[in-house]
Amino acid sequence: MNAVTDTSPSEGPEHSAPAPLDLERAYRESQVGQVLDSLERDLVGLAPVKRRIRDIAALLLIDKLRGTLGLSAGAPALHMSFTGNPGTGKTTVAMRMAEILHRLGYVRKGHLVAVTRDDLVGQYIGHTAPKTREVLKRAMGGVLFIDEAYYLYRPENERDYGQEAIEILLQVMENQREDLVVIFAGYKQRMDTFFHSNPGLSSRVAHHIDFPDYSSDELLAIAHLMLEQLHYRLSADADAALRAYIELRRDQPHFANARSIRNALDRARLRQASRLFERRGAPITREDLETIETADIRASRVFAEEGAHEH
């Protein structure tokens, strides 16, 4: 008579449920939190952008944990599009994104290579392919950031070689996506047209992030941050003058958000140095050297143009 085999589940410890994964530990060990904290600390405003970057970081961390249990669905699509006006932090966020990808093991090096059309497209037959491949070689293991990407595509010029660069990019984005992330950047409306004209590119871009313009309060906060890093400060009157400057400058052509603020502060520092140089016969204190005064701001032609418009 054959022995009856007991097929009921064993109560032994070897059959107990697997221990839950420690997400907090994985997050801590990845050191991604440091990058997200620096993003929060160093960049004023951009709340929707920061939220989206945190969401992407969470997705990548969870994907890593899923992989430890054999649940991975393949490498996640990571190519991105950053749209917005100049000076809204796109390059800075791309650098932080490269760090996040590196710390989570999605790219080998975590460096950023920033280029424009001129770095990729040649001027004669046979020139574009080696230029594009050289850039891609430098970017491998990191992030390739293509600013004003829509200039790659010029359908009105039949002798343009931008399409060749796009075809090489497409091939590499698909075949080497585990070793390179491409971020396309530029004005939103032009980028929408660019992707519409290049559906192959559009289908490979998983994350579209729009960067809003800064408010006047945010631009003033950015100015304070920039000055603090340079060991300068604004007098109370100069602070009010800079706020007035920002309000006027935002309505003028070619305003570039934080970039325009940096240029304005560079000119204010130049005027401060000139002002102090003129009084070189008198003692100059540390406070003098650190302080931007109203005159250093009000001397801007932005205020002169305001007076001209009023008359």
Side-chain angles (χ1 to χ4, degrees):
M1 186 175 179
N2 293 334
V4 177
T5 304
D6 183 7
T7 58
S8 62
S10 171
E11 298 297 327
E14 67 273 12
H15 292 283
S16 60
L21 298 172
D22 191 338
L23 180 56
E24 176 58 32
R25 180 180 176 183
Y27 177 66
R28 194 168 56 248
E29 289 179 349
S30 73
Q31 298 185 325
V32 164
Q34 297 174 10
V35 184
L36 295 174
D37 289 345
S38 73
L39 197 65
E40 193 65 49
R41 183 182 62 249
D42 299 340
L43 277 179
V44 172
L46 298 179
V49 173
K50 292 173 181 175
R51 190 161 53 246
R52 188 67 185 278
I53 297 301
R54 284 184 178 276
D55 288 346
I56 293 171
L59 171 70
L60 299 180
L61 186 60
I62 293 298
D63 185 72
K64 280 289 177 189
L65 286 179
R66 284 171 55 84
T68 64
L69 298 179
L71 299 173
S72 180
L78 294 172
H79 302 307
M80 305 178 190
S81 168
F82 288 2
T83 54
N85 290 324
T88 48
K90 295 187 291 295
T91 306
T92 302
V93 172
M95 291 172 65
R96 298 290 192 274
M97 195 70 240
E99 289 181 60
I100 290 170
L101 291 166
H102 176 56
R103 294 189 184 199
L104 287 172
Y106 285 91
V107 292
R108 289 178 293 115
K109 299 178 183 177
H111 64 301
L112 181 83
V113 174
V115 298
T116 62
R117 171 193 162 88
D118 289 345
D119 300 296
L120 298 167
V121 181
Q123 297 177 329
Y124 50 84
I125 293 174
H127 192 205
T128 294
K131 280 188 80 168
T132 301
R133 291 200 174 99
E134 177 57 33
V135 166
L136 288 166
K137 183 180 176 182
R138 282 194 287 124
M140 280 299 164
V143 172
L144 175 62
F145 182 84
I146 306 176
D147 201 12
E148 297 184 312
Y150 32 76
Y151 286 132
L152 287 175
Y153 182 68
R154 290 181 172 170
E156 73 283 355
N157 184 355
E158 61 182 25
R159 300 190 55 160
D160 184 71
Y161 304 110
Q163 190 60 40
E164 185 180 356
I166 290 172
E167 287 167 7
I168 295 170
L169 282 169
L170 278 170
Q171 187 178 29
V172 171
M173 287 168 67
E174 183 62 31
N175 298 338
Q176 295 176 264
R177 58 184 177 178
E178 294 183 12
D179 201 31
L180 178 71
V181 171
V182 180
I183 299 177
F184 299 94
Y187 291 107
K188 180 166 176 42
Q189 190 172 356
R190 291 188 186 180
M191 288 299 292
D192 288 346
T193 303
F194 172 65
F195 284 128
H196 181 72
S197 303
N198 294 275
L201 276 180
S202 181
S203 65
R204 286 169 174 79
V205 174
H207 304 283
H208 293 260
I209 304 176
D210 191 41
F211 286 63
D213 286 334
Y214 291 108
S215 68
S216 294
D217 286 343
E218 288 170 343
L219 290 168
L220 190 60
I222 287 168
H224 287 159
L225 195 62
M226 289 176 175
L227 288 169
E228 184 182 333
Q229 291 168 349
L230 296 169
H231 305 288
Y232 283 89
R233 65 179 184 84
L234 295 163
S235 69
D237 288 344
D239 193 81
L242 183 58
R243 178 179 286 279
Y245 170 90
I246 290 169
E247 294 288 353
L248 293 170
R249 184 67 185 88
R250 288 183 73 197
D251 293 332
Q252 293 185 343
H254 312 299
F255 178 66
N257 287 279
R259 201 177 301 166
S260 291
I261 298 304
R262 182 179 296 281
N263 292 341
L265 294 179
D266 284 345
R267 289 189 290 271
R269 290 170 55 211
L270 191 67
R271 295 185 199 108
Q272 184 235 35
S274 209
R275 175 171 55 78
L276 293 177
F277 183 73
E278 289 301 316
R279 43 174 281 209
R280 58 189 177 276
I284 292 177
T285 66
R286 180 190 179 102
E287 185 177 0
D288 291 330
L289 293 171
E290 289 179 335
T291 307
I292 302 291
E293 298 287 359
T294 310
D296 305 325
I297 304 292
R298 288 259 170 202
S300 167
R301 67 173 179 269
V302 167
F303 291 102
E305 289 170 4
E306 178 201 18
H309 289 311
E310 289 176 354
H311 294 302

